[in-house]
Amino acid sequence: MKFGGASVASPEHFARIADLIIERQCVFPRLVIVVSAMGQTTNELIKLAHQVHPNPPQREYDMLISAGERISMTLLAMILCRKGKDAVSFTGSQSGILTCSQHTSAHIIDVRPQRLIQTLEQGKIVIVAGFQGVSQDKEVTTLGRGGSDTSAVAIGVALKAEKIEFYKDVLGIYNKDPKMYSDAICYPTLNYQEALTIVNQGAKVLHARAIKLAEKNGMPLHVRSFISRHDQGTWITSVDCKKSINPVYEIS
Ligand code: ASP
Ligand code: MG
C-alpha cells in the first residue's frame, strides 16, 4: 500500500489510514506500506535549504529532503502501535534500496529487502520511507520529485508482491483533471502504455518511472481513493501480464 502526501497531510489523516491498513491486513496478512512526506513538507524543506544556500551541496540537500518521509513513516508506526498493531518503520537505506550516486535524481539498481522480510515473518506491518535510497558509497540519495511511487513499485517487485495499491485523494486515473472538470471520467482499467501516456501528458497521479518499472516486472497497480474506499479505482495491468521471475530494476 502506497500513501502519497495528500493522504498523510495531518495527524488525523494518519489515524484514518491506520484504520484502512488494519482493515486491509485482514485480507492481506503480509502488508508493506510505503509513505510520502506529509502535505507540502518536501516543498518546505527545499525552501529551507535555499534560505541557507542558493545552490545547496547535493549530499546535504538529499539528507534534508529525505527527512520528510522519515517523519511520515514514524508517525504511522506510532499510530498503528497505539491501535494495538506491531509496525516497524525503515528508511530507504534500511530497506535495502540501492541506487546510483546521482543525488536528487537517483535511479534504483537493486533492492535487498532482508530486513523487511524478517519483520514480515514476525507478523509485523512494515513501513518504508518512499523517495530515498542509498548509493554504493553509502550516501543517502533521493529519487526525484514524486519518487515515492517508484519506491513502492521497487519494494513490491523485490518482495514479489501480489499487487501495489496507491491511495489517492481522487477515485483513480481520469481522462482529464477531476479537480478542474466535473465531467472527468475515471478509467476502470488501463494498460501500462495508456497510463504512461496519461502521466506524460501532465497528470500527476503516478510517477512515470513507477509505471515503467511495473511494466518491466509485470506488476499490477491499483490506483484508488483513501476516502471513498468502496469505489473501484483504476487498475493498471496488461492482459498478458506475466510476473518476471527475477526482478528487473531501473538500471542494471
Ligand atoms: N515527498 C517527495 C515529493 O514531494 C516524494 C513523493 O511525494 O513522492 O516529491
Ligand atoms: Mg510529496
Side-chain angles (χ1 to χ4, degrees), residues 63-112:
M63 290 291 271
L64 176 68
I65 65 172
S66 60
E69 274 67 15
R70 208 155 154 156
I71 295 172
S72 295
M73 72 178 196
T74 52
L75 293 178
L76 182 57
M78 287 177 197
I79 194 143
L80 282 166
C81 175
R82 183 170 160 202
K83 289 178 184 281
K85 290 285 168 186
D86 273 332
V88 187
S89 67
F90 296 96
T91 63
S93 165
Q94 290 174 317
S95 307
I97 301 180
L98 301 183
T99 71
C100 68
S101 53
Q102 185 67 47
H103 280 297
T104 77
S105 56
H107 283 69
I108 298 173
I109 300 172
D110 197 9
V111 180
R112 299 186 187 154

Side-chain angles (χ1 to χ4, degrees), residues 4-6 36-43 69 145-146 148:
S36 290
M38 296 172 70
Q40 293 302 310
T41 302
T42 309
N43 290 337
E69 274 67 15
R145 297 306 307 271
S148 50

Side-chain angles (χ1 to χ4, degrees), residues 87-146:
V88 187
S89 67
F90 296 96
T91 63
S93 165
Q94 290 174 317
S95 307
I97 301 180
L98 301 183
T99 71
C100 68
S101 53
Q102 185 67 47
H103 280 297
T104 77
S105 56
H107 283 69
I108 298 173
I109 300 172
D110 197 9
V111 180
R112 299 186 187 154
Q114 286 79 357
R115 283 194 76 181
L116 308 188
I117 293 169
Q118 279 166 10
T119 308
L120 286 171
E121 280 168 356
Q122 291 163 2
K124 297 176 182 167
I125 297 171
V126 165
I127 305 169
V128 173
F131 183 50
Q132 54 187 269
V134 64
S135 67
Q136 276 143 325
D137 29 339
K138 298 196 167 53
E139 297 293 359
V140 170
T141 52
T142 62
L143 307 179
R145 297 306 307 271

Side-chain angles (χ1 to χ4, degrees), residues 24-218:
R24 228 52 204 125
Q25 204 197 16
C26 302
V27 189
F28 298 99
R30 287 153 59 98
L31 266 189
V32 178
I33 319 298
V34 175
V35 284
S36 290
M38 296 172 70
Q40 293 302 310
T41 302
T42 309
N43 290 337
E44 283 154 17
L45 293 172
I46 291 172
K47 218 188 282 164
L48 269 178
H50 288 105
Q51 279 166 8
V52 297
H53 197 306
N55 186 17
Q58 301 258 292
R59 177 190 185 278
E60 303 311 325
Y61 185 83
D62 269 354
M63 290 291 271
L64 176 68
I65 65 172
S66 60
E69 274 67 15
R70 208 155 154 156
I71 295 172
S72 295
M73 72 178 196
T74 52
L75 293 178
L76 182 57
M78 287 177 197
I79 194 143
L80 282 166
C81 175
R82 183 170 160 202
K83 289 178 184 281
K85 290 285 168 186
D86 273 332
V88 187
S89 67
F90 296 96
T91 63
S93 165
Q94 290 174 317
S95 307
I97 301 180
L98 301 183
T99 71
C100 68
S101 53
Q102 185 67 47
H103 280 297
T104 77
S105 56
H107 283 69
I108 298 173
I109 300 172
D110 197 9
V111 180
R112 299 186 187 154
Q114 286 79 357
R115 283 194 76 181
L116 308 188
I117 293 169
Q118 279 166 10
T119 308
L120 286 171
E121 280 168 356
Q122 291 163 2
K124 297 176 182 167
I125 297 171
V126 165
I127 305 169
V128 173
F131 183 50
Q132 54 187 269
V134 64
S135 67
Q136 276 143 325
D137 29 339
K138 298 196 167 53
E139 297 293 359
V140 170
T141 52
T142 62
L143 307 179
R145 297 306 307 271
S148 50
D149 289 342
T150 305
S151 309
V153 175
I155 293 283
V157 164
L159 295 173
K160 303 199 187 305
E162 186 173 325
K163 60 176 172 174
I164 301 163
E165 297 181 342
F166 292 86
Y167 287 88
K168 301 276 161 189
D169 60 354
V170 289
L171 296 184
I173 301 183
Y174 290 75
N175 62 337
K176 47 190 173 183
D177 188 347
K179 292 179 183 164
M180 284 170 68
Y181 302 95
S182 59
D183 62 339
I185 294 163
C186 180
Y187 296 107
T189 57
L190 290 170
N191 65 35
Y192 297 105
Q193 284 306 318
E194 290 164 338
L196 258 183
T197 306
I198 292 169
V199 305
N200 286 337
Q201 283 162 353
K204 292 219 171 59
V205 61
L206 270 191
H207 207 213
R209 278 167 56 189
I211 300 171
K212 287 186 200 152
L213 187 56
E215 180 174 32
K216 268 196 200 175
N217 291 280

